[in-house]
Amino acid sequence: MPERASDRLVRMLGMIAYLERHEDVPVEQVAAQFGVTPEQVMADVDTLWVTGTPGYLPDDLIDFDASSYEQGVVRLTEGRGVTRPLRLGPREGVALLAALRSLTALRPALDAERAAALDSVLAKVQAATGDAAAGVPVDVELQVGAVPAVAAAIGAALTGRRRLRLRYVDASDVLTERDVDPVRLVSQDEHSYLLAWSLAADAERKFRVDRIVEATVLDAPADDHPLADDADVFQPDPSGELVTVRLAGRARWVAESVPVERTRELADGMFEVDLRVVQPAWLRHLLVQVADEVIDVRPPHVAQDTAGAARAALEAYGPLLGTTTGEA
């Protein structure tokens, strides 16, 4: 899966802070520190080298020692104040406070240490925000993605180590009921997920919290199950069909927000992504969403299937508009 722009930004900011405290660091050491390849470190340095503050003249840019760089050593000479502590503005403070307050809906699902950390951060941000904190409206269902009853049931099941019965709507909009042994909550792609062991599948599964229609805590205790080390990270199902989509550069967000196996850069800003597709309805939705930027789809039957679904949708609107898809 290609690296997200947000992940690279966080690493580069961390790299600046690291280099502020360490002089003349070999590229290999920086790579080991941040878990990337030496080539990626050099690419990050090249990007940082042309990054700075408005004006963006040479004296306004983050700078490194060129002679050290040529010898495979990274030495920061000008950090442009990136590591200075920042203060939240009123709007930023209110936004952060709203997010923290929304997380309290899932507080029962946290262990004691994390719950204490949430309480501490919430108190500090609320104090720093001052009078503006009193007027923060928080819709828990929208912020967390779970209706309160579902959030409470998940929290109770995790805390009491009980089995859960879920009524869940999958990516194909199919409602199913399944019993699971909950493991923990995880966050990814701006969504909250329940990592659990599905008894029907006899395997680990992640359930998007905002797709859980109903959750019931059962009397049965939750069993312990062996989970993969990378269970918290989305991995494409290897049994899914491999689909290649060629896109215009304006659809770059697809490579950064959708789990893809590989990304290939092409001429004229175009790129290709390889996807493992288990749910064809999910792929149809994605392709229709970026239809203006799609250049090619392989294998051909996937493109034909999506085009057929799009035509069927247009035909469904025909009686309402008094037209057919064949009319101008």
Side-chain angles (χ1 to χ4, degrees), residues 17-317:
Y18 176 76
L19 294 172
E20 284 270 11
R21 301 190 304 270
H22 301 81
E23 293 187 2
D24 299 328
V25 186
V27 170
E28 291 76 11
Q29 182 176 328
V30 179
Q33 176 69 26
F34 291 92
V36 295
T37 64
E39 291 76 16
Q40 184 61 61
V41 171
M42 302 294 271
D44 289 346
V45 169
D46 288 342
T47 299
L48 288 168
W49 222 324
V50 293
T51 304
T53 51
Y56 302 106
L57 297 172
D59 290 341
D60 301 316
L61 302 177
I62 292 171
D63 201 8
F64 299 86
D65 181 70
S67 59
S68 299
Y69 179 78
E70 292 174 355
Q71 298 172 19
V73 174
V74 185
R75 181 160 69 89
L76 181 71
T77 59
E78 176 55 67
R80 300 304 303 162
V82 170
T83 58
R84 285 200 304 267
L86 300 178
R87 294 187 63 84
L88 292 174
R91 181 176 299 179
E92 295 166 325
V94 166
L96 180 58
L97 181 61
L100 288 169
R101 283 185 180 174
S102 71
L103 286 176
T104 59
L106 298 179
R107 191 180 185 283
L110 304 176
D111 56 37
E113 182 179 354
R114 291 177 178 173
L118 174 60
D119 293 342
S120 175
V121 172
L122 180 59
K124 290 176 180 178
V125 173
Q126 186 162 331
T129 307
D131 293 340
V136 178
V138 178
D139 185 329
V140 172
E141 183 173 353
L142 290 178
Q143 293 288 343
V144 177
V147 295
V150 169
I154 292 174
L158 286 169
T159 303
R161 293 297 301 142
R162 313 300 292 182
R163 187 162 290 173
L164 271 175
R165 177 161 295 157
L166 304 179
R167 297 186 68 226
Y168 184 75
V169 178
D170 63 20
S172 299
D173 290 330
V174 176
L175 178 64
T176 60
E177 185 174 287
R178 58 192 85 187
D179 290 353
V180 303
D181 288 336
V183 178
R184 56 181 170 269
L185 285 169
V186 298
S187 295
Q188 184 178 327
D189 300 331
E190 301 179 355
H191 293 289
S192 296
Y193 295 84
L194 173 65
L195 176 63
W197 188 270
S198 171
L199 301 183
D202 194 27
E204 61 198 40
R205 292 289 187 267
K206 283 201 302 185
F207 301 94
R208 249 179 63 172
V209 173
D210 61 343
R211 289 181 178 165
I212 300 176
V213 178
E214 183 179 345
T216 304
V217 182
L218 304 178
D219 292 334
D223 295 330
D224 292 327
H225 300 276
L227 298 182
D229 293 337
D230 58 355
D232 289 354
V233 180
F234 178 86
Q235 298 291 340
D237 189 334
S239 67
E241 181 179 20
L242 184 64
V243 176
T244 299
V245 182
R246 181 176 297 183
L247 296 157
R250 291 184 297 275
R252 179 66 53 182
W253 63 269
V254 172
E256 296 180 353
S257 61
V258 173
V260 302
E261 284 203 344
R262 185 176 302 171
T263 301
R264 289 179 294 278
E265 300 297 332
L266 305 174
D268 299 326
M270 293 185 296
F271 65 99
E272 286 185 346
V273 293
D274 292 339
L275 305 160
R276 286 287 176 185
V277 179
V278 177
Q279 297 285 355
W282 170 82
L283 180 61
R284 286 196 298 268
H285 175 78
L286 174 66
L287 292 177
V288 170
Q289 187 178 2
V290 295
D292 290 344
E293 317 302 336
V294 175
I295 308 300
D296 185 33
V297 179
R298 302 189 300 274
H301 76 83
V302 175
Q304 294 165 4
D305 177 59
T306 302
R311 281 194 295 268
L314 289 174
E315 289 171 356
Y317 280 98

